[in-house]
Amino acid sequence: MDADTPTDEVLDELFSTIESRKAELPEGSYTTTLFTHEKGENYALEKLGEEMTETILAAKDDDREELLYESADLVYHLLVVLAMNDASLDDLREELKSRF
């Protein structure tokens, strides 16, 4: 992803990068670590839980900057867990759309 990516395409670009890391498993990539950790999927789930807690605490503390920072981490880890479970961003969009 580069600085020229339009804001409304950021999630798609991020998910595409996550899917690419899942397929290629490049060395030195944090995303690769989430897919290959010895704890398996539990490692990514633990990270997701950590980010959720940090997001809640930032909201509780009325710290908007920290809330946005932690929310970005939360969304990233959620997308990794979706990819691990062969769910796509489009699957998530469809689920959200079905709730209207």
Side-chain angles (χ1 to χ4, degrees):
M1 192 171 352
D2 61 47
D4 295 330
T5 301
T7 304
D8 61 344
E9 295 176 18
V10 169
L11 286 178
D12 293 289
E13 285 289 319
L14 176 58
F15 195 75
S16 178
T17 300
I18 290 168
E19 287 285 314
S20 173
R21 298 289 193 274
K22 178 183 174 185
E24 298 166 12
L25 300 174
E27 245 181 83
S29 163
Y30 174 68
T31 305
T32 295
T33 302
L34 292 171
F35 283 110
T36 61
H37 196 275
E38 64 188 16
K39 289 184 177 180
E41 185 181 30
N42 282 346
Y43 183 68
L45 295 172
E46 288 171 11
K47 297 303 289 181
L48 181 62
E50 282 177 34
E51 299 305 339
M52 182 162 307
T53 299
E54 291 170 358
T55 301
I56 291 167
L57 293 174
K60 181 186 90 40
D61 293 341
D62 293 323
D63 186 338
R64 185 177 188 276
E65 185 177 321
E66 189 69 11
L67 174 62
L68 291 171
Y69 182 88
E70 295 302 341
S71 293
D73 284 350
L74 176 62
V75 168
Y76 162 77
H77 286 88
L78 175 61
L79 294 178
V80 169
V81 170
L82 288 174
M84 283 180 163
N85 288 278
D86 297 320
S88 71
L89 203 49
D90 285 339
D91 294 331
L92 180 58
R93 284 187 182 103
E94 284 299 318
E95 179 60 30
L96 288 169
K97 183 179 174 181
S98 75
R99 296 176 182 214
F100 285 97

